[in-house]
Amino acid sequence: MNEKGSEPGGNPMNHPEEQPTGTDGMPKFGRLLIVLILVVLVIALVTWASEKYLSY
């Protein structure tokens, strides 16, 4: 029995289709690793610069 507003595909509430995950299902840690390395370098640079500035 087809109710008013229902679709023949079995999606009566018009939910969006499930989104595909990454290419192989594995999380991408490369970008996170690059960001973490950059953050560590910035912290090291600020520490070095503040030591040079305050050591006069």
Side-chain angles (χ1 to χ4, degrees), residues 1-10 12:
M1 186 162 108
N2 246 352
E3 293 182 17
K4 189 175 186 178
S6 66
E7 296 181 4

Side-chain angles (χ1 to χ4, degrees), residues 38-56:
L38 287 175
V39 167
V40 168
L41 289 175
V42 167
I43 290 172
L45 178 67
V46 167
T47 303
W48 176 80
S50 63
E51 182 183 345
K52 288 291 183 184
Y53 179 74
L54 296 175
S55 66
Y56 285 121

